[in-house]
Amino acid sequence: MTKTDFNRPVAFFDFDGTLTTKDSLMPFLKFVVGKPVYYIKLFAISPILIAYFLKLIRNDVAKQLVLKWYLSGYLKDELFDLGSKFSHEIIPGMLRAEGIERLRWHQQLGHECILVSASLDVYLSSWVKMENINALLSSQLAVREDCITGKLKGGNCFGEQKVQRILEWLNGRLPPFIYAYGNSKGDESMLMFANEGFLFKKKQGFIKING
């Protein structure tokens, strides 16, 4: 990742559904445990997923239950190695052309480009290096004695948490102009925080909703 320069405009990008065509977490879990185990575990946690879709449990609660079921007990280094392989082998086939085009446009103009995602650092940290993105603000897996606990360190980077992470990263500094890109309600706070916020719609592409 390149050095931060707050004299340049900054573009904040969501990942899932914005730079990709679909969610990346479940494909990552399948990549880690393999198809047979993935589907067995998926069946076992189906009540959790149903409760989430029915809005009976919060996003962050459901996510940590899923992560604990799939990833608890993995060694940190082992999981980061798997995350690196996932970012090289699987993510390229998931990318959304319109989102990557926007990313490249900002990079060509010399803008700071920051990934702000509820997805996990274990694979996004490798991907941002591959794509020369300046910084990563994402959900992080908690570790105890070099083992993954399945819990999130510092909460789920979703909704208002995205703005909080951005403010912490800015540390009181103000870029000359801020762009933001997202695709869901979980990104709306970040989009409204920016000078110009763009929401992706499948039939319309990126629509300016702020600025």
Side-chain angles (χ1 to χ4, degrees):
M1 289 180 283
T2 58
K3 185 178 179 181
T4 297
D5 178 0
F6 287 96
N7 292 319
R8 293 186 285 166
V10 178
F12 295 102
F13 287 87
D14 169 57
F15 187 66
D16 290 343
T18 301
L19 294 180
T20 69
T21 58
K22 59 183 180 180
D23 176 79
S24 61
L25 177 60
M26 300 310 283
F28 173 67
L29 298 179
K30 185 190 295 184
F31 184 83
V32 170
V33 303
K35 284 185 179 180
V37 174
Y38 171 79
Y39 286 111
I40 291 170
K41 289 180 178 287
L42 189 64
F43 178 77
I45 63 169
S46 57
I48 297 171
L49 299 177
I50 292 170
Y52 167 68
F53 286 118
L54 292 176
K55 299 183 179 180
L56 299 176
I57 57 175
R58 298 197 316 264
N59 174 286
D60 58 329
V61 174
K63 185 171 185 176
Q64 291 191 90
L65 289 171
V66 171
L67 292 174
K68 185 175 182 180
W69 193 256
Y70 278 97
L71 302 180
S72 178
Y74 274 88
L75 292 174
K76 176 186 175 183
D77 290 345
E78 178 186 11
L79 202 58
F80 269 89
D81 284 344
L82 288 167
S84 178
K85 291 179 181 178
F86 179 78
S87 69
H88 283 79
E89 298 174 15
I90 306 299
I91 290 180
M94 299 171 60
L95 297 176
R96 184 184 297 285
E98 300 95 328
I100 297 301
E101 183 180 358
R102 291 293 181 114
L103 172 63
R104 297 288 180 253
W105 181 76
H106 285 287
Q107 289 177 325
Q108 288 168 5
L109 290 176
H111 297 172
E112 296 281 334
C113 294
I114 314 300
L115 193 65
V116 189
S117 176
S119 292
L120 302 176
D121 60 334
V122 290
Y123 56 91
L124 290 181
S125 58
S126 178
W127 190 77
V128 297
K129 291 177 182 177
M130 289 169 53
E131 299 298 331
N132 296 313
I133 292 172
N134 299 89
L136 170 65
L137 311 176
S138 72
S139 298
Q140 300 178 37
L141 288 169
V143 178
R144 183 173 62 240
E145 297 179 354
D146 293 327
C147 285
I148 300 298
T149 66
K151 295 182 179 181
L152 292 174
K153 178 184 177 182
N156 194 27
C157 188
F158 179 85
E160 290 290 342
Q161 262 277 345
K162 291 195 171 189
V163 175
Q164 184 60 40
R165 301 286 183 98
I166 289 170
L167 290 172
E168 290 171 1
W169 180 78
L170 289 171
N171 194 28
R173 293 166 288 189
L174 184 63
F177 202 87
I178 296 175
Y179 302 86
Y181 296 87
N183 77 302
S184 70
K185 287 187 177 181
D187 302 315
E188 286 181 358
S189 295
M190 179 175 73
L191 301 185
M192 297 308 294
F193 171 80
N195 297 112
E196 288 188 358
F198 297 86
L199 183 70
F200 182 81
K201 298 286 188 180
K202 287 185 178 180
K203 294 183 179 180
Q204 300 168 287
F206 284 102
I207 306 299
K208 187 191 290 188
I209 66 167
N210 182 37

